[in-house]
Amino acid sequence: MSADSVPASARDNQNIKPSGPPLFPLGRVVATPAALALLEKHGVASVTLLNRHQCGDWGDLTRHDRVANDEALVNGSRLLSAYVVKGERVWIITEAVGEDGVTRSSSCILLPQDY
């Protein structure tokens, strides 16, 4: 069974520790009220998901999206992670590198319907 076909309940583990150093700066971190409410309701610390995202644990993404993120670490495009919290998806999007060629201005924690 591939990671893409694992049932959400089996992937719903937010206690995974990130491994390795941060791969990119998060910039200013913001979150939508709905995403914060979901995380609070289920006792998931936003910093846990942010750490996973920043260390390259992209969560519950297709192979195509994981490859796109790995390429974004090199070419500076936007980064997306998706985590399952009690059956609901939470996204983290980090903006592309800015005009200076280095800085990523912000990261946002949101629900897909907030996009």
Side-chain angles (χ1 to χ4, degrees):
M1 185 181 289
S2 76
D4 293 337
S5 61
V6 175
S9 60
R11 296 185 310 253
D12 197 15
N13 182 348
Q14 302 311 318
N15 296 319
I16 297 170
K17 302 277 188 219
S19 60
L23 301 175
F24 57 91
L26 294 170
R28 181 176 180 208
V29 176
V30 297
T32 65
L36 291 175
L38 177 74
L39 295 177
E40 183 176 337
K41 176 181 175 183
H42 296 296
V44 176
S46 58
V47 69
T48 300
L49 300 183
L50 287 165
N51 285 337
R52 289 177 62 188
H53 174 69
Q54 194 173 29
C55 291
D57 172 358
W58 311 126
D60 185 38
L61 292 181
T62 65
R63 183 180 187 314
H64 177 268
D65 286 337
R66 288 191 302 269
V67 168
N69 277 352
D70 293 341
E71 291 171 355
L73 293 173
V74 176
N75 68 28
S77 57
R78 72 112 177 101
L79 295 155
L80 166 71
S81 290
Y83 306 102
V84 178
V85 176
K86 301 298 181 190
E88 295 191 62
R89 291 174 71 79
V90 176
W91 287 355
I92 300 178
I93 298 174
T94 298
E95 294 300 323
V97 169
E99 292 179 14
D100 66 3
V102 178
T103 307
R104 291 183 181 271
S105 63
S106 67
S107 294
C108 184
I109 304 168
L110 67 158
L111 304 182
Q113 58 266 33
D114 296 332
Y115 190 70

